[in-house]
Amino acid sequence: MTKSADLRQKDVAALQTEVKSLQKAHFNMRMQKATQQLNNTAQLRLTRRAVARAKTILAEKQAAN
């Protein structure tokens, strides 16, 4: 997963693409879970938290400008 130190080094545009890719990955995992194809359900929790982490850092950077 993405560490917050790595996210803080990115600019706003890179953070926005990171959030989109994490949300897409989370959506795909939710669909896999619904169709009984997801083996590691704990991965859902990790991606949800990664999305929240990226959104928080993005909001901090946007507020700073």
Side-chain angles (χ1 to χ4, degrees):
M1 282 288 126
T2 312
K3 300 215 178 236
S4 48
D6 297 334
L7 290 173
R8 291 191 190 280
Q9 294 175 353
K10 295 184 179 186
D11 62 341
V12 173
L15 280 172
Q16 288 173 336
T17 58
E18 181 77 19
V19 167
K20 284 183 183 179
S21 68
L22 285 169
Q23 285 177 330
K24 185 174 183 176
H26 184 63
F27 176 79
N28 289 336
M29 282 185 208
R30 283 186 8 232
M31 292 302 111
Q32 286 179 356
K33 183 179 182 228
T35 58
Q36 304 292 319
Q37 295 176 349
L38 185 63
N39 295 329
N40 186 4
T41 56
Q43 194 68 27
L44 276 171
R45 177 178 172 216
L46 295 176
T47 55
R48 188 175 66 242
R49 288 182 178 198
V51 169
R53 187 178 301 118
K55 279 185 171 183
T56 300
I57 294 172
L58 178 62
E60 287 174 0
K61 287 195 179 248
Q62 288 176 336
N65 290 339

